[in-house]
Amino acid sequence: LASTCLLLDDRNLRISAASQTTAPACKRFDQIYASGRELCEHMWGTSFKYETDEAAAYTMWFFDAQNPNDAISKSLGRLNASGHETCHLRLRHKDKPGPEPDQFTECHPWKPNACCYYNTVSSFSKLKHSFGRQYHWDRCGQLSPQCERFFVQESCFYECDPNAGLYRKYNSSSYDPRCDRHALEYSREFAEAHGCAHNTWELHGMPIKASYCDAWFTACSSDNFCAFGSGDFYSCAGVYTPTDAEVELVNRTWNRLSAGFGQAVEMAEEGISTAVAIGLSASISVSILALACNCYLIRRERMGKPVFEQQLPSGAGPSLMGASQEYMEMH
């Protein structure tokens, strides 16, 4: 009986834990984005711009022997005749672009001259899991193969194409390490005084071919994606992060409690004092009840209906604190 109750409680608690979290809503792509323009210009914040003049826009995938994006950069005056001499993005990128080994197949268009290391993009799984579960593109369910392929292409493009770095938001002329909390030179006082929050990985306003954005929208229109923040990937990750942490905490606590129940069952089977076994079971049961109560309180807080509300002085009103949505750190 104890074992049966344990299995039922485990199943019910895990289901309950999942329902206690406030994950972003999932909707079809064509319900989140009205077009390929909205997809490219909303999904990645301000990283990309939908460009109808395709002679002045980049593609995130190609089959040419030479990277066609190099010619675009030169025609736009962003790259000189000598070509790329550095990789401007600083996340997991190389200092300088160069060739990769024969096994470099997942992002193969950039094999001759890449800003990414083979170990960074060696497989589909590596690309998908690079930045943590909060950045998994299939949080709303398995994507169709044709849709998922576009996410892989974008990942390869960002990691490997030297031209992406030409659109770094805080480039060498504007970047100040005192404003970058991941830099050794970071100064909290300076950053707060100047209201700055720089980084070395973010893109801004990179023109992408309209036909590519439209193809992405067509491929994914019936798939589901996170709808939070108008489908902004970074905003969604910001919501998933605490949600995942809560689920992990519940699961970790339950695993410990399950182990305790197992000990109680073993003690009973080995003839240990019934009183001792009952006492241990009772202690664990209280812990489970406390965990359930915590989950309930968290749920009520997120719904804006806290169980315990602070009483305001007569005549006082609630204070509202505005918070700007910043890009989530990607490492």
Side-chain angles (χ1 to χ4, degrees):
L1 177 61
S3 297
T4 301
C5 289
L6 175 60
L7 290 174
L8 289 174
D9 285 344
D10 178 78
R11 176 177 178 274
N12 291 335
L13 184 59
R14 287 179 184 275
I15 292 174
S16 176
S19 66
Q20 295 298 332
T21 60
T22 309
C26 294
K27 294 182 181 180
R28 283 172 47 125
F29 271 76
D30 56 9
Q31 294 176 327
I32 303 172
Y33 314 107
S35 62
R37 176 188 292 275
E38 286 198 6
L39 187 154
C40 274
E41 295 187 351
H42 290 178
M43 181 181 287
W44 306 102
T46 62
S47 296
F48 304 121
K49 182 180 68 172
Y50 181 92
E51 181 54 66
T52 55
D53 180 3
E54 302 210 346
Y58 300 87
T59 181
M60 293 187 184
W61 198 258
F62 58 91
F63 295 96
D64 311 59
Q66 300 293 324
N67 186 344
N69 290 330
D70 292 346
I72 298 298
S73 290
K74 290 177 180 177
S75 69
L76 295 176
R78 289 181 172 265
L79 183 66
N80 58 38
S82 61
H84 297 283
E85 298 177 351
T86 186
C87 297
H88 299 278
L89 295 176
R90 294 286 183 268
L91 186 54
R92 303 176 307 173
H93 300 76
K94 299 177 182 177
D95 291 331
K96 297 180 179 180
E100 286 297 304
D102 290 340
Q103 62 266 37
F104 188 89
T105 56
E106 191 65 49
C107 300
H108 61 84
W110 289 275
K111 178 180 175 294
N113 198 41
C115 274
C116 55
Y117 293 100
Y118 165 71
N119 289 336
T120 303
V121 299
S122 59
S123 66
F124 165 89
S125 180
K126 262 294 182 60
L127 290 168
K128 178 181 175 180
H129 299 286
S130 292
F131 300 112
R133 189 167 181 266
Q134 67 271 29
Y135 284 103
H136 287 185
W137 47 70
D138 57 359
R139 292 295 297 257
C140 289
Q142 181 62 48
L143 298 177
S144 61
Q146 66 269 22
C147 177
E148 192 160 48
R149 191 58 198 164
F150 277 91
F151 283 91
V152 173
Q153 291 178 4
E154 189 281 334
S155 295
C156 287
F157 173 73
Y158 173 78
E159 299 285 355
C160 302
D161 200 311
N163 296 284
L166 300 177
Y167 289 84
R168 198 177 102 179
K169 184 173 183 178
Y170 303 102
N171 55 40
S172 57
S173 63
S174 63
Y175 175 73
D176 190 327
R178 293 173 295 179
C179 299
D180 185 349
R181 69 187 185 89
H182 290 286
L184 294 176
E185 301 89 343
Y186 175 66
S187 168
R188 181 177 178 179
E189 293 76 14
F190 180 89
E192 290 181 350
H194 292 78
C196 56
H198 294 180
N199 61 66
T200 60
W201 55 264
E202 188 178 348
L203 303 183
H204 178 72
M206 187 173 194
I208 303 298
K209 292 179 183 292
S211 60
Y212 185 89
C213 296
D214 292 339
W216 191 341
F217 178 74
T218 299
C220 296
S221 60
S222 61
D223 288 271
N224 291 325
F225 194 64
C226 168
F228 186 81
S230 299
D232 185 313
F233 209 175
Y234 302 114
S235 297
C236 289
V239 178
Y240 280 129
T241 297
T243 298
D244 291 346
E246 182 181 322
V247 171
E248 183 179 351
L249 174 61
V250 170
N251 287 336
R252 187 167 60 247
T253 303
W254 179 246
N255 288 336
R256 292 172 180 168
L257 296 175
S258 297
F261 266 122
Q263 288 181 336
V265 172
E266 290 177 7
M267 290 170 66
E269 291 176 347
E270 292 173 2
I272 303 299
S273 167
T274 301
V276 174
I278 291 175
L280 180 58
S281 297
S283 175
I284 295 171
S285 297
V286 171
S287 297
I288 292 176
L289 180 60
L291 176 62
C293 287
N294 283 335
C295 288
Y296 175 73
L297 292 174
I298 291 172
R299 176 65 172 171
R300 294 281 298 187
E301 288 286 346
R302 289 186 171 182
M303 291 174 63
K305 302 175 181 178
V307 175
F308 306 106
E309 294 185 311
Q310 181 179 1
Q311 297 298 315
L312 296 174
S314 177
S319 62
L320 301 178
M321 181 180 296
S324 61
Q325 176 66 44
E326 297 182 355
Y327 280 98
M328 297 303 299
E329 294 300 334
M330 303 183 68
H331 59 302

